[in-house]
Amino acid sequence: MTDSEPTLIVHPHEGTPDPTDTPEALNRAIKKLASSTMPVAIDVERASGFRYSDRAYLIQIRREDAGTFLIDADALPHLHSLGEALQNAVWILHAADQDLPSLRGANLHAPELFDTEVAAQLLGFERIGLAAVLEQTLGVTLDKEHQASDWSNRPLPRSWLRYAALDVEFLTQLYRVLSRELYDAGRWDWAEQEFAHILSREPKPADPNKWRSIPGAGKIRTRRQLAILQQLWRAREAIAREQDIAPTRLISNRTLVSLAFKPPRNKRALLSIQEMRRPRTRSHTDEWIRAIRHAKCMSETDLPPLRKPVAPGTLPKVSGWRSAHPDELARLKTIRRAIEPLAKELGIDPAVLLEPRVQKRLAWDGPVLRPDEMREYLRRRGARAWQIERVAGALVKATN
């Protein structure tokens, strides 16, 4: 690690490459990348907040002896051959769980993973963003100006391409430094288990009650108003999905909740709201009115309940345990007190030593377990072997 002032890097060492956006250019890139056996540094740029989908619009790939390639995944949707050229070495990503779904959607599947964010967590870094980790290890920092840009724009500005290339410029060097630190700390095995867990993790199923997470929805106090919010949310989702536009660019969450509280009686009343007169929103006036009327006509038995139903296998929010589940909350506090000193001794965050979801599940289930039973319980709940080895004994004492 370095304590000196970090150096701001504004240009890739080899210059900013042009985007690879034609089949011919892709074939040339594949040929160069396939000739290497070096690790694959890879990153993804999406259009979150602008588009409905979470697909990749630009994929940055670097192998130290082949160079950096900026793959236009919008112009080149069929990248299976590219993925095949990258199967002979570890893939290096930062916060891989964010990018792997988009890469898989582009037919790019990592054969082996090294996640620099996870490595930093296992080494006890307090700041784990890529820029922060680069500062602490290599003494360099990057400008993150275009992190939240609309990467579906074409053509991409030269400054954006430069930013994208820099995101993979130092990943291989960072991989080497963090790997050495993990080995020296005796934590390489921990990292391997974490990387394998990330690659094998199943995607979360869609939440049918996602509409309830809209900010302000919790203030609604009648089932009829909730039904209006639900139907408006569904209409917004359908339109956004069809047009591949971020839902909040049609109607803001605040306006959606406001319409649920005070639903307009007709089109004139709806269009008296300034936001609803925007061309993109106004063109769907019939859909908004139809959603409101449908909710108003729903029978009492079909109205959504005031409280979000707890899906099978899931737990209610901990914030509600104090009044409804005090015994479970007491157990959770005991479990946390058992984990915290172990994590402090290792110099890592308690959530890294044992995921909060596992802690909450153990508190909820409330089993009294022998050491071998506790280890099996933690394994079934997704804890990794290195975690189980370090927490099982303390959890047996804490819960018995």
Side-chain angles (χ1 to χ4, degrees):
M1 296 188 185
T2 177
D3 295 324
S4 59
E5 190 70 21
T7 301
L8 175 64
I9 305 298
V10 295
H11 293 286
H13 177 68
E14 299 161 359
T16 301
D18 293 326
T20 298
D21 56 6
T22 67
E24 295 76 17
L26 178 62
N27 287 335
R28 290 193 295 270
I30 290 173
K31 186 176 180 179
K32 287 185 178 180
L33 290 165
S35 66
S36 172
T37 58
M38 299 284 283
V40 178
I42 191 163
D43 189 37
V44 173
E45 303 299 344
R46 293 176 287 273
S48 303
F50 298 93
R51 297 289 183 171
Y52 184 86
S53 69
D54 208 26
R55 56 169 293 201
Y57 280 92
L58 190 74
I59 301 172
Q60 306 100 286
I61 300 172
R62 178 174 177 79
R63 301 187 97 160
E64 290 299 307
D65 56 352
T68 298
F69 298 87
L70 306 179
I71 310 297
D72 187 339
D74 191 40
L76 301 167
H78 305 294
L79 297 176
H80 178 73
S81 297
L82 174 63
E84 289 183 336
L86 305 174
Q87 293 298 299
N88 61 345
V90 62
W91 289 19
I92 312 164
L93 291 94
H94 190 86
D97 57 344
Q98 297 180 23
D99 290 343
L100 286 175
S102 299
L103 289 170
R104 289 165 179 156
N107 288 314
L108 299 177
H109 301 272
E112 184 183 351
L113 175 67
F114 187 97
D115 187 330
T116 51
E117 180 185 68
V118 171
Q121 289 177 317
L122 293 175
L123 290 167
F125 285 41
E126 293 184 1
R127 297 183 299 135
I128 57 173
L130 178 58
V133 175
L134 286 172
E135 285 183 23
Q136 296 170 80
T137 54
L138 304 182
V140 301
T141 188
L142 305 177
D143 182 3
K144 304 302 289 183
E145 178 184 359
H146 301 298
Q147 190 170 23
S149 297
D150 180 3
W151 289 87
S152 66
N153 280 334
R154 293 296 181 274
L156 290 169
R158 199 70 185 168
S159 62
W160 293 23
L161 296 174
R162 183 167 59 248
Y163 161 90
L166 284 171
D167 260 359
V168 292
E169 178 91 356
F170 295 98
L171 281 181
T172 300
Q173 189 177 349
L174 183 60
Y175 155 73
R176 291 178 178 137
V177 172
L178 293 177
S179 294
R180 184 168 59 250
E181 291 188 15
L182 286 168
Y183 273 117
D184 292 345
R187 299 181 181 184
W188 177 253
D189 184 51
W190 302 8
E192 286 188 314
Q193 293 176 40
E194 292 299 315
F195 302 153
H197 175 71
I198 293 170
L199 285 178
S200 64
R201 191 158 50 203
E202 294 292 330
K204 291 183 178 180
D207 181 5
N209 287 290
K210 185 179 178 182
W211 59 275
R212 290 180 180 268
S213 64
I214 292 176
K219 297 178 181 179
I220 293 178
R221 291 292 177 262
T222 75
R223 295 174 64 203
R224 184 70 60 186
Q225 290 173 335
L226 274 180
I228 294 171
L229 179 64
Q230 179 191 50
Q231 295 304 315
L232 282 170
W233 183 87
R234 288 177 175 175
R236 187 179 71 171
E237 285 289 299
I239 296 167
R241 186 184 305 110
E242 181 181 356
Q243 297 186 359
D244 192 18
I245 184 175
T248 53
R249 290 186 168 264
L250 286 168
I251 306 180
S252 68
N253 288 330
R254 177 182 293 183
T255 298
L256 217 61
V257 172
S258 177
L259 291 171
F261 269 117
K262 191 177 180 180
R265 295 182 178 180
N266 49 44
K267 290 184 182 180
R268 178 179 294 181
L270 180 69
L271 294 175
S272 69
I273 302 169
Q274 183 177 358
E275 184 177 346
M276 304 306 293
R277 296 197 298 272
R278 295 184 308 182
R280 180 182 286 157
T281 308
R282 183 173 186 150
S283 64
H284 299 285
T285 297
D286 288 342
E287 286 100 314
W288 312 133
I289 290 293
R290 190 157 48 244
I292 292 170
R293 288 176 178 170
H294 176 70
K296 287 183 174 181
C297 294
M298 289 171 65
S299 67
E300 288 291 328
T301 55
D302 291 333
L303 295 176
L306 283 175
R307 291 191 175 184
K308 179 180 178 179
V310 178
T314 62
L315 302 178
K317 289 185 177 180
V318 173
S319 58
W321 288 18
R322 182 180 301 276
S323 57
H325 308 285
D327 292 342
E328 287 81 355
L329 180 60
R331 279 197 294 271
L332 179 58
K333 290 180 178 178
T334 300
I335 289 166
R336 287 172 173 170
R337 284 195 297 268
I339 297 294
E340 285 169 1
L342 298 177
K344 185 176 182 179
E345 183 180 349
L346 294 169
I348 60 177
D349 191 282
V352 175
L353 182 55
L354 188 64
E355 291 175 86
R357 65 171 184 84
V358 181
Q359 297 182 37
K360 287 185 282 189
R361 174 55 70 178
L362 178 60
W364 184 264
D365 292 344
V368 176
L369 302 172
R370 299 190 305 271
D372 58 329
E373 294 172 330
M374 178 64 75
R375 287 191 289 271
E376 176 59 20
Y377 176 91
L378 294 173
R379 186 194 65 78
R380 286 189 288 105
R381 293 299 177 190
R384 273 69 78 195
W386 75 269
Q387 297 172 321
I388 295 171
E389 180 182 344
R390 282 154 186 83
V391 304
L395 291 177
V396 169
K397 292 179 182 178
T399 55
N400 285 346

